[in-house]
Amino acid sequence: MFVAILGPGMITANAGNDAGGIATFASVGAQFGYSLLWILIPIAISLGIVQEMCARMGAVTGKGLADLIRERFGVRWTALVMLALLIANAGVTVSEFVGIAAATELFGVSHYISVPLAAGLVWWLIVKGSYKRVERAFLIMSLVFLGYIVSAFLAKPDWSAVAVGLVKPEFRFEHAFLFTIVAVIGTTISPYMQVYVQSSVVEKGVTPEDYGKTKLDVWVGTIFAILIVFFIVVSTAATLHKSGIEINTAADAARALHPLAGRYAEILFGLGLFGASMLAAGVLPLATAYSISEALGFEKGVSRSFREAPIFLGTFTFLVAVGAAIAIVPNLPLFRVLLVTQVINGLLLPVILFAVLRLVNNRELMGSHVNGPLYNLFAWATAIVVTAVSLLYLLITLFPSIMRF
């Protein structure tokens, strides 16, 4: 029964732990040790609330997020939001295939072979599969994250220091510290995740009567995803922070674990990176295809054929093909690609969050399923804090000199 409830919530929350996310969490552990573990508790609550509101809207209205935005806020506003989402998600999709390349090269497989094969597998799974088959495959990919738990124990951390880091908040008015906090929040709650979870709930056919299982799925997925983040930080803090090793990518973290925690820790970290990148390489283009099709009023769904949903499957195919092609370009300036996409995401996230809050509290739309007073308090607090953090991240990204204390 427990396995049966898993679906959109588990997939969406864990897709957030993509290649860029793993690099971010690994650098948190390497740079700050256990001192930032406390931030995972409020992030877990915020992520769960945002995901649950979107899943509930999907179950009650039977419509995706882009659908509702177009109906309630107009075509022009929707077109602007969708264009930004398309650009941002295309850039991040490239980074997922770069993550696949980095992971497979850890095991001696050339990215010229692994990236096209991975892209073909992801494309075949979506275009030729049914929703149930796609969901099952994504859930299996999520299991690869269990490798980070084993990797953390192999690193032999100081569990008393871990406990202190979880319950004792530490804050520093330093550029690197603030930048890291903003980056962690920004990589955990992304606009595409809200789009995907709501569209998946709709396609799965969830109704208000059986929504209880989906709500449990959302919270189980959130807790599992944040636990994985916890173990990534713990494993890198126990090894890289202690040795003063700096890392720039998730692959760097995997390689660095080898001499400090053993070959098996490196292998497990690399497998986790591969599974994370594969999962996000499927979810990101899918979320984009859902949003574009909903915004334009076209047929959508992974169970549809190309003849039935040409825009949906065409958008998905385009993003996968372009993402894989760019990822194998020699000397790719990936940092610049990620910088631009993060800026767009930073601008887009507050818009999405406040749109979600307006929609979920609309009694005409949601009936008795609107947020309750206490839940609304937490939801609005989440939106305000995440918006402030996103704007801060945008400020730091564009004008890094103003944050030098």
Side-chain angles (χ1 to χ4, degrees):
M1 182 178 176
F2 175 74
V3 174
I5 67 167
L6 298 180
M10 175 66 80
I11 293 167
T12 308
N14 284 282
N17 291 340
D18 57 3
I22 292 169
T24 299
F25 305 136
S27 61
V28 167
Q31 190 171 2
F32 299 102
Y34 308 118
S35 62
L36 267 178
L37 285 173
W38 63 270
I39 201 175
L40 299 184
I41 296 174
I43 282 181
I45 296 170
S46 298
L47 177 61
I49 286 173
V50 173
Q51 295 287 287
E52 192 279 325
M53 287 191 298
C54 291
R56 185 169 9 120
M57 279 198 294
V60 173
T61 66
K63 296 178 179 179
L65 186 56
D67 247 335
L68 296 178
I69 290 175
R70 185 196 60 198
E71 289 179 5
R72 299 287 165 168
F73 304 120
V75 175
R76 290 183 181 179
W77 184 245
T78 306
L80 181 63
V81 172
M82 291 306 109
L83 178 61
L85 191 70
L86 176 63
I87 295 170
N89 286 0
V92 182
T93 300
V94 173
S95 74
E96 306 311 340
F97 283 107
V98 170
I100 290 169
T104 53
E105 286 185 343
L106 286 172
F107 304 104
V109 180
S110 170
H111 65 280
Y112 292 111
I113 298 173
S114 62
V115 170
L117 284 177
L121 178 60
V122 169
W123 182 88
W124 178 83
L125 177 67
I126 303 300
V127 175
K128 299 298 182 181
S130 63
Y131 178 80
K132 285 186 177 180
R133 182 187 296 174
V134 171
E135 182 181 76
R136 194 178 300 120
F138 281 167
L139 286 172
I140 290 171
M141 289 180 198
S142 297
L143 294 177
V144 180
F145 287 104
L146 294 172
Y148 289 120
I149 299 176
V150 182
S151 184
F153 281 97
L154 288 173
K156 298 178 181 178
D158 179 352
W159 291 109
S160 61
V162 170
V164 171
L166 270 175
V167 299
K168 184 183 178 182
E170 179 180 324
F171 200 88
R172 307 175 201 167
F173 286 98
E174 299 171 0
H175 174 265
F177 193 85
L178 290 173
F179 187 90
T180 301
I181 286 182
V182 175
V184 167
I185 296 175
T187 197
T188 308
I189 307 174
S190 300
Y192 79 85
M193 294 168 66
Q194 281 64 264
V195 172
Y196 181 80
V197 73
Q198 186 162 336
S199 296
S200 295
V201 166
V202 172
E203 185 162 358
K204 194 172 183 178
V206 179
T207 63
E209 289 72 30
D210 57 10
Y211 173 67
K213 293 179 181 178
T214 298
K215 184 176 181 179
L216 184 57
D217 166 43
V218 168
W219 283 103
V220 169
T222 296
I223 293 168
F224 181 78
I226 298 300
L227 275 175
I228 296 304
V229 175
F230 167 80
F231 284 111
I232 292 173
V233 175
V234 167
S235 62
T236 51
T239 51
L240 311 187
H241 179 69
K242 188 184 296 184
S243 303
I245 298 175
E246 293 186 6
I247 59 172
N248 296 309
T249 67
D252 289 343
R255 291 189 190 97
L257 282 174
H258 183 191
L260 298 164
R263 174 66 176 166
Y264 292 116
E266 178 193 3
I267 291 172
L268 288 168
F269 207 94
L271 285 173
L273 173 59
F274 177 77
S277 300
M278 283 289 288
L279 177 59
V283 171
L284 260 164
L286 260 186
T288 312
Y290 274 126
S291 60
I292 298 298
S293 300
E294 289 167 5
L296 299 176
F298 290 111
E299 194 67 54
K300 62 188 182 298
V302 297
S303 299
R304 307 287 183 182
S305 65
F306 251 107
R307 181 175 295 178
E308 295 171 319
I311 300 299
F312 175 80
L313 292 176
T315 301
F316 173 80
T317 301
F318 172 78
L319 286 172
V320 170
V322 170
I326 295 176
I328 59 175
V329 172
N331 303 317
L332 176 71
L334 181 62
F335 180 75
R336 290 190 178 185
V337 174
L338 289 175
L339 184 64
V340 173
T341 56
Q342 288 291 357
V343 169
I344 295 172
N345 272 328
L347 288 169
L348 190 59
L349 182 56
V351 176
I352 295 291
L353 287 180
F354 282 106
V356 166
L357 276 164
R358 285 189 61 186
L359 291 168
V360 81
N361 284 299
N362 187 327
R363 288 197 175 274
E364 180 186 342
L365 188 69
M366 296 292 292
S368 61
H369 298 281
V370 295
N371 287 349
L374 184 61
Y375 200 92
N376 233 2
L377 177 65
F378 281 102
W380 277 103
T382 295
I384 292 169
V385 171
V386 169
T387 298
V389 164
S390 298
L391 292 175
L392 180 60
Y393 182 73
L394 185 61
L395 205 62
I396 294 173
T397 303
L398 294 176
F399 310 103
S401 60
I402 68 173
M403 293 304 294
R404 291 175 184 161
F405 293 99

